[in-house]
DNA sequence: GTCTATACTACGATAGAC
DNA sequence: GTCTATCGTAGTATAGAC
């Protein structure tokens, strides 16, 4: 383990693209800038990726796959829906906090539909499939909690949206969020505080008022 | 009232800019495109605004002022913090649902810090001041609710972030959100459902578990 | 697989006539 | 206040040598 492996050009381009696209979006980043930061020429980018849009999709997909991998253990764990959901939120906040670019990239991927020129490249289909997998897992988990009576009769879809807002949006909010909180978003202290706030919101806001959160329904 | 007033060129440019910047962001919109949609020449834009960045700031500021005006009555109303907060959320969701571009513009303004070239134009200071006013009002309202014992001992700052995520992010989520929900985000039905979900989350998630929500403390 | 050179288009911004 | 014309730069993408 810990092989001394030189990073391939392709990976280097993806790394640079991830950072740059997160910061300035698809339209805001030039391939010149990416090439320089990756210490390659512009033409070399086109050898590895068929177009700028394809590069962007590959960057997004790599992020989504990493995210899926991080959430999988928490999603597949056994336990009550609440306990599992809290585990998912822990894992999600962990990965967002560790990779600063992830939240912005995800948010951009979500709401910059028509940033990409015209309709779907082949790369974007794989991306959407990965995203759909993650979301439907979360939705199923919440729906299960409602069905078993641990959660209030909330809408699973709306709750997913709320939780994305509470996590992905939060860590994507940059200078704005930091100024609002009065401390850097990614400081250990702020991350811990966010985790507590989100989880307590879930405990109080989603569960049935008089149910014991730890109870295992039949 | 209801004067038959021809819209000034300046307003027309702002209208076009609002729609375009919301959809594609600062970097994604060209002034050529704006000029054509406003039925003016590119040069005319520079007569009304000193630069593209200045136009962008003016667009954002107009949106923020409209938002502030919409929230003011709800913020200044009397009543318990919970009742007032619910009123604010109603007003916020109303204005976001009515002007589709607003949520995306706000979200972009929040997390696209360094999209704008270098440091602050004069226009951007006024913008930030308006935003700070709105936020501190909301924060104060939540803090009051905690102090009076109607809300749990939550962090007012984090709660503001969560509520922004639950509203602004939601209505900015575009095709993604529509696909997740299974219906258009801005349909009357979906807007109503969102309002209910957010307000019930606030009622259950923010208030003290055994307090009567309608009680008037002190 | 990486480079230099280049094609073509669009960009933001300015000059100056009307 | 609006226009045409133009400047200089940077954009994505391709051709072809090595």
């Amino acid at each position: 383990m810990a092989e001394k492996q030189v990073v391939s050009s392709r990976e280097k381009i993806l790394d640079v693209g991830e950072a740059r696209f997160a910061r300035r979006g698809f339209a805001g980043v030039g391939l010149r800038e990416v090439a320089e930061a990756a210490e390659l020429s512009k033409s070399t980018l086109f050898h590895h990726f068929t177009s700028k849009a394809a590069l962007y999709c590959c960057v997004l997909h790599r992020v989504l796959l990493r995210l899926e991998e991080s959430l999988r253990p928490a999603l597949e764990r056994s336990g009550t829906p609440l306990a599992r959901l809290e585990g998912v939120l822990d894992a999600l906040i962990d990965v967002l906090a560790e990779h600063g670019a992830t939240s912005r990239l995800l948010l951009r991927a979500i709401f910059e539909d028509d940033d990409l020129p015209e309709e779907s490249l082949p790369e974007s289909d794989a991306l959407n499939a990965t995203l759909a997998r993650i979301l439907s897992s979360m939705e199923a988990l919440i729906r299960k909690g409602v069905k078993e009576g641990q959660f209030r009769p909330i809408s699973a879809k709306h709750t997913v949206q709320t939780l994305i807002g509470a996590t992905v949006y939060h860590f994507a909010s940059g200078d704005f969020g930091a100024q609002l909180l009065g401390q850097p978003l990614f400081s250990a202290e702020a991350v811990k505080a966010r985790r507590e706030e989100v989880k307590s919101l879930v405990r109080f806001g989603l569960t049935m008022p008089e149910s014991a959160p730890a109870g295992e329904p039949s």
Side-chain angles (χ1 to χ4, degrees), chain A residues 21-88:
Chain A
F21 285 134
R23 221 77 221 166
R24 294 177 127 79
F26 178 73
V29 175
L31 294 185
R32 182 181 182 270
E33 175 189 352
V34 174
E36 275 176 15
E39 295 169 298
L40 293 167
S41 84
K42 265 198 297 181
S43 304
T44 305
L45 304 194
F46 286 94
H47 176 77
H48 292 283
F49 303 94
T50 62
S51 70
K52 184 192 182 184
L55 167 59
Y56 185 65
C57 285
C58 288
V59 166
L60 285 182
H61 198 194
R62 200 178 59 152
V63 167
L64 276 175
L65 288 174
R66 200 167 59 205
L67 177 68
E68 187 181 31
E69 207 57 31
S70 303
L71 298 188
R72 192 202 309 277
L75 278 165
E76 292 177 348
R77 225 186 53 184
S78 66
T80 68
L82 175 61
R84 288 170 61 206
L85 182 58
E86 290 195 41
V88 170

Side-chain angles (χ1 to χ4, degrees), chain A residues 2-218:
Chain A
E3 306 173 24
K4 195 61 191 288
Q5 166 80 25
V6 171
V7 187
S8 74
S9 290
R10 193 188 152 90
E11 282 167 339
K12 200 164 191 176
I13 296 167
L14 286 170
D15 288 342
V16 171
E18 185 172 322
R20 295 302 210 273
F21 285 134
R23 221 77 221 166
R24 294 177 127 79
F26 178 73
V29 175
L31 294 185
R32 182 181 182 270
E33 175 189 352
V34 174
E36 275 176 15
E39 295 169 298
L40 293 167
S41 84
K42 265 198 297 181
S43 304
T44 305
L45 304 194
F46 286 94
H47 176 77
H48 292 283
F49 303 94
T50 62
S51 70
K52 184 192 182 184
L55 167 59
Y56 185 65
C57 285
C58 288
V59 166
L60 285 182
H61 198 194
R62 200 178 59 152
V63 167
L64 276 175
L65 288 174
R66 200 167 59 205
L67 177 68
E68 187 181 31
E69 207 57 31
S70 303
L71 298 188
R72 192 202 309 277
L75 278 165
E76 292 177 348
R77 225 186 53 184
S78 66
T80 68
L82 175 61
R84 288 170 61 206
L85 182 58
E86 290 195 41
V88 170
L89 290 171
D90 272 329
L92 176 58
I93 289 174
D94 276 345
V95 68
L96 295 180
E98 191 172 353
H99 300 95
T102 298
S103 48
R104 285 193 173 214
L105 238 14
L106 288 176
L107 206 55
R108 289 193 189 276
I110 284 177
F111 91 119
E112 295 183 350
D113 328 296
D114 30 34
D115 246 26
L116 293 125
E118 45 197 290
E119 73 262 35
S120 41
L121 326 181
E123 288 88 346
S124 112
D125 292 342
L127 194 163
N128 286 327
T130 305
L131 185 55
R133 249 180 286 136
I134 300 174
L135 290 169
S136 71
S137 300
M138 288 196 58
E139 196 185 324
L141 175 55
I142 294 166
R143 204 181 302 280
K144 185 159 182 281
V146 174
K147 201 170 188 177
E148 294 181 356
Q150 188 175 30
F151 292 161
R152 294 189 294 116
I154 49 180
S155 155
K157 299 168 190 295
H158 276 278
T159 304
V160 170
Q161 277 280 73
T162 303
L163 293 177
I164 292 173
T167 54
V168 178
Y169 156 72
H170 171 78
F171 285 106
S173 64
D175 292 348
F176 170 85
Q179 197 181 337
L180 176 59
L181 290 193
Q183 64 181 334
L185 275 188
F186 291 97
S187 67
E189 196 184 353
V191 171
K192 187 183 167 202
R194 188 66 196 167
R195 196 191 307 269
E196 299 299 315
E197 288 289 331
V198 171
K199 284 164 68 179
S200 81
L201 181 70
V202 164
R203 273 194 297 270
F204 286 90
L206 301 191
T207 59
M208 292 290 275
E210 47 251 86
S211 87
E216 184 71 43
S218 87

